[in-house]
Amino acid sequence: MVHQIEVPDTNDAESVGHMLLRAWLQTYPNEDAGVDETWILEQRGSVVTAEGIGQWQQFIEEAIRHPELLFCRVVRSGAETVGVLCGRRDEVVTLGPMYLLDEAQGQGTGRRLMGEFLAWADDDPMHLWVTEYNERAVQFYERHGFKLTGERELWRGKLPNVRMACDPVTQSKIV
């Protein structure tokens, strides 16, 4: 299946919220970290509430108004949203969130999505947080020029995240 990558509009906010929650439930359960479905729903379930959807509508509106500062793309499989990648340009470019549902992975969609993001980021330095035990994501980012920095955080007391950064010189050699 060929997935379509598009700039979202505010009507996509609800489907983005539901896709994000589904992606979290697919990606993060980990017995060793004490992360289960209940914890995920407690921490991220608000993304599908009216407030969470409203926050996504605001972000999408801002991204449409300020594409030089905010990046957002959705991935569709027919009418269903199966992925998202967003970013922000400040002193450095921050990548995140980036999620593809399991059924959209392994088909080159992530590579295409990342290519659009890297073109937008241009030569600016970039960084992101990724969950340490999400080895597939860590390897994906490494293939696109990101390197582990050694910086770590424990998100909400449980989720072990590591910082990755991309040097613009490395980035231009990868793409």
Side-chain angles (χ1 to χ4, degrees):
M1 150 97 20
V2 176
H3 296 103
Q4 299 300 315
I5 298 171
E6 301 173 350
V7 174
D9 65 41
T10 56
N11 294 324
D12 291 310
E14 185 172 359
S15 68
V16 168
H18 285 277
M19 186 281 310
L20 284 169
L21 184 56
R22 194 169 152 209
W24 268 69
L25 290 166
Q26 288 179 351
T27 305
Y28 295 116
N30 182 288
E31 192 174 311
D32 292 338
V35 176
D36 60 13
E37 183 175 318
T38 301
W39 186 84
I40 291 167
L41 292 172
E42 289 170 358
Q43 303 303 316
R44 299 303 294 175
S46 64
V47 76
V48 297
T49 65
E51 182 180 348
I53 291 165
Q55 290 171 348
W56 271 103
Q57 287 172 326
Q58 289 177 329
F59 181 83
I60 291 167
E61 284 174 1
E62 286 298 309
I64 291 168
R65 276 199 294 266
H66 301 286
E68 73 284 3
L69 299 176
L70 298 171
F71 178 93
C72 192
R73 298 292 183 275
V74 293
V75 179
R76 300 188 203 287
S77 176
E80 181 184 8
T81 300
V82 296
V84 66
L85 192 162
C86 298
R88 175 180 306 276
R89 185 185 314 276
D90 292 308
E91 306 84 47
V92 298
V93 170
T94 301
L95 184 155
M98 180 179 186
Y99 291 99
L100 283 175
L101 294 178
D102 288 347
E103 62 265 25
Q105 294 183 19
Q107 302 168 48
T109 305
R111 184 181 69 252
R112 291 177 29 232
L113 195 56
M114 181 62 87
E116 287 195 24
F117 180 80
L118 293 175
W120 173 80
D122 197 30
D123 286 335
D124 291 342
M126 294 173 278
H127 64 217
L128 59 87
W129 288 102
V130 62
T131 299
E132 186 172 33
Y133 60 76
N134 188 351
E135 295 172 12
R136 187 172 185 175
V138 171
Q139 292 169 358
F140 173 84
Y141 294 129
E142 287 175 339
R143 285 193 305 272
H144 288 87
F146 286 83
K147 306 271 187 242
L148 292 167
T149 66
E151 192 176 350
R152 308 169 75 77
E153 73 167 10
L154 200 57
W155 188 79
R156 299 196 180 175
K158 286 197 179 191
L159 206 61
N161 290 334
V162 292
R163 170 81 78 187
M164 297 185 81
C166 184
D167 171 297
V169 173
T170 303
Q171 167 194 332
S172 64
K173 291 178 182 176
I174 301 296
V175 176

